[in-house]
Amino acid sequence: MLKKMLITGATAALLSAGVVASPAQAAPGLVCHAHQVGNHWTCVTPGSYCPANAHGKFGYAAKTGKRYECLRYSNGRWRWKRA
């Protein structure tokens, strides 16, 4: 438990200092949220809802790096679907 707390604290310190490039690369237990980088999205969670400004755009999964597209399903909801 103490080891996990120390690692989490050290990771948070590195992120706040800007030493680590992204939360997905910092530690496997950290949460990664979809965000726009140029004309694509990163940290996509497959099957989750897309933000409005991501409709019709492409994104890459946080864990696998696979390509997904924000598409409208038949029920009217926008979700990340494998492209």
Side-chain angles (χ1 to χ4, degrees), residues 15 20-25 31-45 48-51 53-54 57-62 80:
L15 285 172
V20 179
S22 72
Q25 296 172 348
V31 177
C32 183
H33 297 285
H35 58 280
Q36 190 171 9
V37 178
N39 61 353
H40 71 276
W41 288 73
T42 59
C43 272
V44 168
T45 304
S48 66
Y49 293 115
C50 312
N53 53 351
K57 304 272 175 50
F58 291 96
Y60 297 91
W80 291 108

Side-chain angles (χ1 to χ4, degrees), residues 1 3 8-9 11 14 23 26 46-47 56 58 62 64 66 74 77 81-82:
M1 178 73 171
K3 183 178 177 181
T8 304
T11 303
L14 290 173
F58 291 96
T64 62
K66 292 183 179 178
S74 59
R77 306 281 182 162
K81 185 176 181 181
R82 184 84 164 92

Side-chain angles (χ1 to χ4, degrees), residues 17 24 28 30 55 81:
L30 292 178
H55 292 177
K81 185 176 181 181

